[in-house]
Amino acid sequence: MNTLPLTGLKVLDLSRLLPGPYATLVLADLGATVDKLEDPEGGDYIRHMPPLRDDESALFYGLNRNKRSLVLNLKSPEGREALKRLVRSYDVLLESFRPGVMDKLGVGWSVLHEQNPRLVYCAISGYGQTGPDRLKAGHDLNYAARAGVLGYGGQADGAPAFPGVQLGDIGGGSLFALVGILAALHERERTGQGRFVDVSMTDGAMAFLHMHLAARLVMGEQGQPLRRGRETLNGGQACYGLYRTSDDRYLSVGALEPKFLAGVCEVLGCPELLADAYDTGEAGMRVKAEFTRRFAEHPLAYWKERFAGRDVCVEPVLEGDEVLEDPQLRARGLFVESEDTQRGRRVTHLLTPLRLGETPLRPPPTVGQHSRKILSEAGFSPEEIERLVN
């Protein structure tokens, strides 16, 4: 029987909300045993956030399948001692508290490493474990702003573009946490020792700007600061941008190469514009303005038909539930329906992008649903379990 690649890996997840839980969702989907350690006062905060279905958060449901839940009060001496014992049987611990919180509780990296030298300990925070702002509060939008990512998007001389998705949380936090965890596990195979993985969501958000900012650094005094809406990949040229149609929909045009842009010009009925399309001055702006005018003459359906069968890097901007019906995404198996026998209903799951086998679809746990089982597996006696869970 084929097994998933992370089968046998044990992960203790102390994180809440989005960055940590998405990282451990990917691990769980790849076969890891993921146990959520939750606070007795309601558990993960996201359990209570709308939208709600049958008094249960759909946000929590979507992030926490294939996981188990254990309740421990880390503010109590008994809970902290229990955590020290628990980590002896885990490969990975992930937390997303502000820097220093775990140390103040007496269960930080140095203490847990002593209990289990093979433990990979990953801490996700807004600004990282070091630096003057390491204790500062923040959210995804703040991290993307500090990293320069927000300032690079939007129209020239206009406001920065609101991303609408969690670049810092998922891109900067979850994904770099996964890279760090898997790298540390690989290193452990060689050294036998775990490692502390410091993930800053602000640092990670800056990775989305890497090509442009790294090039700026290379250019030094010969270069110039990054400019919103004026460069090739952020709206500064006609070949790469968003265009409104007559029915207030949008097309994405990514025709960077001349062969693609020539096809776009042909469909628009203006092949002569290709000569000036890559100009970075007024001539290029005139081409962009003409593209804007012509795309606005017809609705999205018209342009979809005109571009059908043409390989020129033009796609409609899908909105709302349209993405759920996209034939390419459906063919990739991203949306999978499953029976949730625990709740007595069918649910459609959004799978994580990397699938190396059949993804399990066990429903998310209720608060503390598996406390007794997890503690028993870790060697706690029935009497100890009773004291901890009651």
mmCIF file of all heavy atoms in Angstrom, residues 313-349:
data_model
loop_
_atom_site.group_PDB
_atom_site.id
_atom_site.type_symbol
_atom_site.label_atom_id
_atom_site.label_comp_id
_atom_site.label_asym_id
_atom_site.label_seq_id
_atom_site.Cartn_x
_atom_site.Cartn_y
_atom_site.Cartn_z
ATOM 1 N N CYS A 313 -1.018 34.624 -23.809
ATOM 2 C CA CYS A 313 -0.927 35.035 -22.401
ATOM 3 C C CYS A 313 -1.975 36.077 -22.015
ATOM 4 O O CYS A 313 -1.663 37.105 -21.393
ATOM 5 C CB CYS A 313 0.474 35.561 -22.076
ATOM 6 S SG CYS A 313 1.805 34.416 -22.476
ATOM 7 N N VAL A 314 -3.208 35.824 -22.389
ATOM 8 C CA VAL A 314 -4.337 36.667 -21.996
ATOM 9 C C VAL A 314 -5.362 35.776 -21.299
ATOM 10 O O VAL A 314 -5.750 34.739 -21.829
ATOM 11 C CB VAL A 314 -4.985 37.360 -23.210
ATOM 12 C CG1 VAL A 314 -6.244 38.126 -22.785
ATOM 13 C CG2 VAL A 314 -3.989 38.303 -23.864
ATOM 14 N N GLU A 315 -5.762 36.172 -20.088
ATOM 15 C CA GLU A 315 -6.735 35.394 -19.324
ATOM 16 C C GLU A 315 -7.756 36.324 -18.675
ATOM 17 O O GLU A 315 -7.426 37.442 -18.269
ATOM 18 C CB GLU A 315 -6.041 34.597 -18.211
ATOM 19 C CG GLU A 315 -5.079 33.523 -18.687
ATOM 20 C CD GLU A 315 -5.783 32.303 -19.273
ATOM 21 O OE1 GLU A 315 -7.031 32.263 -19.248
ATOM 22 O OE2 GLU A 315 -5.066 31.409 -19.761
ATOM 23 N N PRO A 316 -9.007 35.864 -18.537
ATOM 24 C CA PRO A 316 -10.000 36.669 -17.810
ATOM 25 C C PRO A 316 -9.669 36.680 -16.320
ATOM 26 O O PRO A 316 -9.099 35.721 -15.792
ATOM 27 C CB PRO A 316 -11.308 35.921 -18.073
ATOM 28 C CG PRO A 316 -10.891 34.507 -18.308
ATOM 29 C CD PRO A 316 -9.570 34.598 -19.028
ATOM 30 N N VAL A 317 -10.018 37.768 -15.654
ATOM 31 C CA VAL A 317 -9.890 37.837 -14.203
ATOM 32 C C VAL A 317 -11.145 37.203 -13.612
ATOM 33 O O VAL A 317 -12.230 37.780 -13.678
ATOM 34 C CB VAL A 317 -9.725 39.291 -13.718
ATOM 35 C CG1 VAL A 317 -9.712 39.343 -12.195
ATOM 36 C CG2 VAL A 317 -8.450 39.899 -14.286
ATOM 37 N N LEU A 318 -11.003 36.004 -13.074
ATOM 38 C CA LEU A 318 -12.156 35.306 -12.506
ATOM 39 C C LEU A 318 -12.548 35.955 -11.178
ATOM 40 O O LEU A 318 -11.697 36.380 -10.399
ATOM 41 C CB LEU A 318 -11.842 33.833 -12.298
ATOM 42 C CG LEU A 318 -11.467 33.028 -13.547
ATOM 43 C CD1 LEU A 318 -11.322 31.554 -13.201
ATOM 44 C CD2 LEU A 318 -12.491 33.218 -14.658
ATOM 45 N N GLU A 319 -13.839 35.989 -10.925
ATOM 46 C CA GLU A 319 -14.348 36.608 -9.706
ATOM 47 C C GLU A 319 -15.371 35.701 -9.045
ATOM 48 O O GLU A 319 -16.067 34.928 -9.705
ATOM 49 C CB GLU A 319 -14.961 37.970 -10.018
ATOM 50 C CG GLU A 319 -13.970 38.955 -10.612
ATOM 51 C CD GLU A 319 -14.556 40.348 -10.793
ATOM 52 O OE1 GLU A 319 -15.590 40.644 -10.157
ATOM 53 O OE2 GLU A 319 -13.985 41.134 -11.559
ATOM 54 N N GLY A 320 -15.481 35.839 -7.732
ATOM 55 C CA GLY A 320 -16.491 35.097 -6.998
ATOM 56 C C GLY A 320 -16.368 33.596 -7.194
ATOM 57 O O GLY A 320 -15.284 33.017 -7.163
ATOM 58 N N ASP A 321 -17.514 32.943 -7.431
ATOM 59 C CA ASP A 321 -17.543 31.487 -7.585
ATOM 60 C C ASP A 321 -17.072 31.008 -8.950
ATOM 61 O O ASP A 321 -17.025 29.795 -9.186
ATOM 62 C CB ASP A 321 -18.962 30.961 -7.330
ATOM 63 C CG ASP A 321 -19.307 30.925 -5.847
ATOM 64 O OD1 ASP A 321 -18.391 31.096 -5.021
ATOM 65 O OD2 ASP A 321 -20.485 30.713 -5.516
ATOM 66 N N GLU A 322 -16.722 31.923 -9.854
ATOM 67 C CA GLU A 322 -16.250 31.496 -11.176
ATOM 68 C C GLU A 322 -15.046 30.575 -11.076
ATOM 69 O O GLU A 322 -14.881 29.649 -11.878
ATOM 70 C CB GLU A 322 -15.897 32.717 -12.029
ATOM 71 C CG GLU A 322 -17.092 33.528 -12.480
ATOM 72 C CD GLU A 322 -16.683 34.780 -13.245
ATOM 73 O OE1 GLU A 322 -15.522 35.221 -13.067
ATOM 74 O OE2 GLU A 322 -17.519 35.309 -13.998
ATOM 75 N N VAL A 323 -14.198 30.821 -10.082
ATOM 76 C CA VAL A 323 -12.994 30.009 -9.944
ATOM 77 C C VAL A 323 -13.348 28.545 -9.673
ATOM 78 O O VAL A 323 -12.615 27.626 -10.060
ATOM 79 C CB VAL A 323 -12.087 30.578 -8.824
ATOM 80 C CG1 VAL A 323 -12.730 30.415 -7.454
ATOM 81 C CG2 VAL A 323 -10.715 29.935 -8.844
ATOM 82 N N LEU A 324 -14.501 28.309 -9.037
ATOM 83 C CA LEU A 324 -14.899 26.942 -8.704
ATOM 84 C C LEU A 324 -15.308 26.137 -9.928
ATOM 85 O O LEU A 324 -15.329 24.905 -9.891
ATOM 86 C CB LEU A 324 -16.060 26.962 -7.705
ATOM 87 C CG LEU A 324 -15.796 27.703 -6.392
ATOM 88 C CD1 LEU A 324 -17.036 27.676 -5.512
ATOM 89 C CD2 LEU A 324 -14.604 27.091 -5.654
ATOM 90 N N GLU A 325 -15.645 26.843 -11.011
ATOM 91 C CA GLU A 325 -16.074 26.163 -12.240
ATOM 92 C C GLU A 325 -14.999 26.158 -13.310
ATOM 93 O O GLU A 325 -15.225 25.665 -14.411
ATOM 94 C CB GLU A 325 -17.346 26.829 -12.786
ATOM 95 C CG GLU A 325 -18.514 26.837 -11.807
ATOM 96 C CD GLU A 325 -18.889 25.427 -11.357
ATOM 97 O OE1 GLU A 325 -18.797 24.493 -12.198
ATOM 98 O OE2 GLU A 325 -19.249 25.260 -10.180
ATOM 99 N N ASP A 326 -13.832 26.700 -13.007
ATOM 100 C CA ASP A 326 -12.771 26.760 -14.007
ATOM 101 C C ASP A 326 -12.340 25.346 -14.395
ATOM 102 O O ASP A 326 -11.958 24.553 -13.527
ATOM 103 C CB ASP A 326 -11.579 27.536 -13.455
ATOM 104 C CG ASP A 326 -10.478 27.686 -14.482
ATOM 105 O OD1 ASP A 326 -10.531 28.622 -15.283
ATOM 106 O OD2 ASP A 326 -9.568 26.831 -14.488
ATOM 107 N N PRO A 327 -12.399 25.005 -15.683
ATOM 108 C CA PRO A 327 -12.107 23.629 -16.090
ATOM 109 C C PRO A 327 -10.684 23.172 -15.775
ATOM 110 O O PRO A 327 -10.461 21.999 -15.463
ATOM 111 C CB PRO A 327 -12.380 23.631 -17.598
ATOM 112 C CG PRO A 327 -12.337 25.063 -18.007
ATOM 113 C CD PRO A 327 -12.807 25.838 -16.833
ATOM 114 N N GLN A 328 -9.716 24.069 -15.853
ATOM 115 C CA GLN A 328 -8.334 23.692 -15.541
ATOM 116 C C GLN A 328 -8.181 23.368 -14.057
ATOM 117 O O GLN A 328 -7.577 22.358 -13.681
ATOM 118 C CB GLN A 328 -7.370 24.816 -15.937
ATOM 119 C CG GLN A 328 -5.925 24.601 -15.516
ATOM 120 C CD GLN A 328 -5.266 23.389 -16.176
ATOM 121 O OE1 GLN A 328 -5.705 22.938 -17.226
ATOM 122 N NE2 GLN A 328 -4.224 22.862 -15.550
ATOM 123 N N LEU A 329 -8.733 24.215 -13.200
ATOM 124 C CA LEU A 329 -8.624 23.990 -11.762
ATOM 125 C C LEU A 329 -9.375 22.731 -11.340
ATOM 126 O O LEU A 329 -8.915 21.975 -10.481
ATOM 127 C CB LEU A 329 -9.152 25.204 -11.003
ATOM 128 C CG LEU A 329 -8.411 26.518 -11.272
ATOM 129 C CD1 LEU A 329 -9.068 27.657 -10.522
ATOM 130 C CD2 LEU A 329 -6.939 26.401 -10.871
ATOM 131 N N ARG A 330 -10.526 22.512 -11.956
ATOM 132 C CA ARG A 330 -11.283 21.297 -11.641
ATOM 133 C C ARG A 330 -10.533 20.046 -12.107
ATOM 134 O O ARG A 330 -10.515 19.025 -11.415
ATOM 135 C CB ARG A 330 -12.677 21.367 -12.261
ATOM 136 C CG ARG A 330 -13.557 22.463 -11.654
ATOM 137 C CD ARG A 330 -14.978 22.409 -12.194
ATOM 138 N NE ARG A 330 -15.664 21.216 -11.698
ATOM 139 C CZ ARG A 330 -16.280 21.134 -10.515
ATOM 140 N NH1 ARG A 330 -16.273 22.166 -9.689
ATOM 141 N NH2 ARG A 330 -16.897 20.035 -10.164
ATOM 142 N N ALA A 331 -9.903 20.146 -13.264
ATOM 143 C CA ALA A 331 -9.144 19.002 -13.767
ATOM 144 C C ALA A 331 -7.954 18.680 -12.875
ATOM 145 O O ALA A 331 -7.526 17.524 -12.796
ATOM 146 C CB ALA A 331 -8.675 19.271 -15.200
ATOM 147 N N ARG A 332 -7.438 19.681 -12.200
ATOM 148 C CA ARG A 332 -6.312 19.466 -11.281
ATOM 149 C C ARG A 332 -6.754 18.846 -9.961
ATOM 150 O O ARG A 332 -5.923 18.529 -9.110
ATOM 151 C CB ARG A 332 -5.598 20.788 -11.008
ATOM 152 C CG ARG A 332 -4.877 21.376 -12.218
ATOM 153 C CD ARG A 332 -3.632 20.585 -12.549
ATOM 154 N NE ARG A 332 -2.621 20.706 -11.503
ATOM 155 C CZ ARG A 332 -1.523 19.961 -11.440
ATOM 156 N NH1 ARG A 332 -1.304 19.022 -12.341
ATOM 157 N NH2 ARG A 332 -0.643 20.132 -10.461
ATOM 158 N N GLY A 333 -8.065 18.716 -9.761
ATOM 159 C CA GLY A 333 -8.578 18.064 -8.559
ATOM 160 C C GLY A 333 -8.461 18.886 -7.307
ATOM 161 O O GLY A 333 -8.322 18.345 -6.204
ATOM 162 N N LEU A 334 -8.558 20.208 -7.422
ATOM 163 C CA LEU A 334 -8.406 21.073 -6.260
ATOM 164 C C LEU A 334 -9.638 21.099 -5.371
ATOM 165 O O LEU A 334 -9.554 21.438 -4.191
ATOM 166 C CB LEU A 334 -8.057 22.496 -6.710
ATOM 167 C CG LEU A 334 -6.636 22.679 -7.235
ATOM 168 C CD1 LEU A 334 -6.489 24.007 -7.952
ATOM 169 C CD2 LEU A 334 -5.636 22.585 -6.088
ATOM 170 N N PHE A 335 -10.792 20.779 -5.916
ATOM 171 C CA PHE A 335 -12.039 20.819 -5.157
ATOM 172 C C PHE A 335 -12.583 19.398 -5.040
ATOM 173 O O PHE A 335 -12.970 18.797 -6.045
ATOM 174 C CB PHE A 335 -13.059 21.722 -5.849
ATOM 175 C CG PHE A 335 -12.484 23.024 -6.343
ATOM 176 C CD1 PHE A 335 -12.441 23.301 -7.701
ATOM 177 C CD2 PHE A 335 -11.958 23.947 -5.464
ATOM 178 C CE1 PHE A 335 -11.896 24.493 -8.171
ATOM 179 C CE2 PHE A 335 -11.407 25.137 -5.911
ATOM 180 C CZ PHE A 335 -11.373 25.415 -7.267
ATOM 181 N N VAL A 336 -12.604 18.864 -3.828
ATOM 182 C CA VAL A 336 -12.974 17.467 -3.626
ATOM 183 C C VAL A 336 -14.087 17.372 -2.590
ATOM 184 O O VAL A 336 -13.967 17.917 -1.482
ATOM 185 C CB VAL A 336 -11.764 16.620 -3.173
ATOM 186 C CG1 VAL A 336 -12.187 15.190 -2.906
ATOM 187 C CG2 VAL A 336 -10.663 16.660 -4.231
ATOM 188 N N GLU A 337 -15.156 16.676 -2.947
ATOM 189 C CA GLU A 337 -16.288 16.501 -2.040
ATOM 190 C C GLU A 337 -16.087 15.272 -1.179
ATOM 191 O O GLU A 337 -15.563 14.248 -1.634
ATOM 192 C CB GLU A 337 -17.581 16.380 -2.852
ATOM 193 C CG GLU A 337 -18.828 16.598 -2.021
ATOM 194 C CD GLU A 337 -20.086 16.630 -2.865
ATOM 195 O OE1 GLU A 337 -20.513 15.549 -3.294
ATOM 196 O OE2 GLU A 337 -20.611 17.735 -3.112
ATOM 197 N N SER A 338 -16.477 15.372 0.088
ATOM 198 C CA SER A 338 -16.288 14.269 1.019
ATOM 199 C C SER A 338 -17.436 14.245 2.018
ATOM 200 O O SER A 338 -18.059 15.277 2.297
ATOM 201 C CB SER A 338 -14.958 14.430 1.757
ATOM 202 O OG SER A 338 -14.796 13.446 2.749
ATOM 203 N N GLU A 339 -17.702 13.072 2.571
ATOM 204 C CA GLU A 339 -18.735 12.914 3.588
ATOM 205 C C GLU A 339 -18.135 13.141 4.968
ATOM 206 O O GLU A 339 -17.158 12.478 5.341
ATOM 207 C CB GLU A 339 -19.334 11.511 3.514
ATOM 208 C CG GLU A 339 -20.564 11.326 4.385
ATOM 209 C CD GLU A 339 -21.779 12.047 3.849
ATOM 210 O OE1 GLU A 339 -21.913 12.136 2.605
ATOM 211 O OE2 GLU A 339 -22.599 12.517 4.669
ATOM 212 N N ASP A 340 -18.703 14.089 5.712
ATOM 213 C CA ASP A 340 -18.296 14.320 7.094
ATOM 214 C C ASP A 340 -19.298 13.588 7.982
ATOM 215 O O ASP A 340 -20.349 14.126 8.327
ATOM 216 C CB ASP A 340 -18.278 15.822 7.402
ATOM 217 C CG ASP A 340 -17.787 16.135 8.812
ATOM 218 O OD1 ASP A 340 -17.793 15.215 9.650
ATOM 219 O OD2 ASP A 340 -17.419 17.291 9.070
ATOM 220 N N THR A 341 -18.981 12.356 8.329
ATOM 221 C CA THR A 341 -19.916 11.556 9.126
ATOM 222 C C THR A 341 -20.069 12.100 10.538
ATOM 223 O O THR A 341 -21.109 11.935 11.175
ATOM 224 C CB THR A 341 -19.438 10.093 9.189
ATOM 225 O OG1 THR A 341 -18.098 10.057 9.711
ATOM 226 C CG2 THR A 341 -19.436 9.465 7.794
ATOM 227 N N GLN A 342 -19.036 12.782 11.030
ATOM 228 C CA GLN A 342 -19.092 13.350 12.377
ATOM 229 C C GLN A 342 -20.154 14.436 12.473
ATOM 230 O O GLN A 342 -20.805 14.587 13.512
ATOM 231 C CB GLN A 342 -17.710 13.908 12.738
ATOM 232 C CG GLN A 342 -17.593 14.448 14.155
ATOM 233 C CD GLN A 342 -16.167 14.815 14.503
ATOM 234 O OE1 GLN A 342 -15.245 14.051 14.248
ATOM 235 N NE2 GLN A 342 -15.960 16.005 15.045
ATOM 236 N N ARG A 343 -20.348 15.170 11.379
ATOM 237 C CA ARG A 343 -21.317 16.253 11.365
ATOM 238 C C ARG A 343 -22.553 15.925 10.530
ATOM 239 O O ARG A 343 -23.476 16.720 10.462
ATOM 240 C CB ARG A 343 -20.649 17.540 10.852
ATOM 241 C CG ARG A 343 -19.592 18.069 11.814
ATOM 242 C CD ARG A 343 -18.671 19.056 11.138
ATOM 243 N NE ARG A 343 -17.657 19.578 12.048
ATOM 244 C CZ ARG A 343 -16.541 18.941 12.384
ATOM 245 N NH1 ARG A 343 -16.303 17.732 11.893
ATOM 246 N NH2 ARG A 343 -15.676 19.486 13.217
ATOM 247 N N GLY A 344 -22.530 14.807 9.831
ATOM 248 C CA GLY A 344 -23.679 14.374 9.054
ATOM 249 C C GLY A 344 -23.963 15.239 7.843
ATOM 250 O O GLY A 344 -25.124 15.565 7.550
ATOM 251 N N ARG A 345 -22.915 15.595 7.103
ATOM 252 C CA ARG A 345 -23.123 16.406 5.895
ATOM 253 C C ARG A 345 -21.970 16.194 4.928
ATOM 254 O O ARG A 345 -20.896 15.725 5.309
ATOM 255 C CB ARG A 345 -23.258 17.885 6.237
ATOM 256 C CG ARG A 345 -21.985 18.505 6.843
ATOM 257 C CD ARG A 345 -22.174 19.973 7.129
ATOM 258 N NE ARG A 345 -20.951 20.623 7.538
ATOM 259 C CZ ARG A 345 -20.792 21.300 8.665
ATOM 260 N NH1 ARG A 345 -21.785 21.410 9.521
ATOM 261 N NH2 ARG A 345 -19.634 21.890 8.942
ATOM 262 N N ARG A 346 -22.219 16.550 3.686
ATOM 263 C CA ARG A 346 -21.169 16.507 2.677
ATOM 264 C C ARG A 346 -20.510 17.878 2.600
ATOM 265 O O ARG A 346 -21.174 18.918 2.691
ATOM 266 C CB ARG A 346 -21.727 16.103 1.305
ATOM 267 C CG ARG A 346 -22.182 14.651 1.264
ATOM 268 C CD ARG A 346 -22.467 14.174 -0.145
ATOM 269 N NE ARG A 346 -21.264 14.058 -0.964
ATOM 270 C CZ ARG A 346 -20.386 13.066 -0.879
ATOM 271 N NH1 ARG A 346 -20.559 12.090 0.003
ATOM 272 N NH2 ARG A 346 -19.328 13.018 -1.672
ATOM 273 N N VAL A 347 -19.200 17.862 2.414
ATOM 274 C CA VAL A 347 -18.417 19.095 2.396
ATOM 275 C C VAL A 347 -17.465 19.046 1.212
ATOM 276 O O VAL A 347 -16.904 17.996 0.900
ATOM 277 C CB VAL A 347 -17.611 19.260 3.702
ATOM 278 C CG1 VAL A 347 -16.727 20.503 3.636
ATOM 279 C CG2 VAL A 347 -18.534 19.317 4.902
ATOM 280 N N THR A 348 -17.295 20.190 0.545
ATOM 281 C CA THR A 348 -16.286 20.286 -0.508
ATOM 282 C C THR A 348 -15.027 20.902 0.074
ATOM 283 O O THR A 348 -15.068 21.994 0.648
ATOM 284 C CB THR A 348 -16.787 21.130 -1.691
ATOM 285 O OG1 THR A 348 -17.962 20.526 -2.227
ATOM 286 C CG2 THR A 348 -15.721 21.214 -2.781
ATOM 287 N N HIS A 349 -13.921 20.194 -0.058
ATOM 288 C CA HIS A 349 -12.636 20.653 0.465
ATOM 289 C C HIS A 349 -11.819 21.316 -0.641
ATOM 290 O O HIS A 349 -11.825 20.863 -1.781
ATOM 291 C CB HIS A 349 -11.822 19.466 1.003
ATOM 292 C CG HIS A 349 -12.397 18.830 2.221
ATOM 293 N ND1 HIS A 349 -12.005 19.170 3.497
ATOM 294 C CD2 HIS A 349 -13.349 17.863 2.357
ATOM 295 C CE1 HIS A 349 -12.674 18.437 4.370
ATOM 296 N NE2 HIS A 349 -13.496 17.628 3.707
#
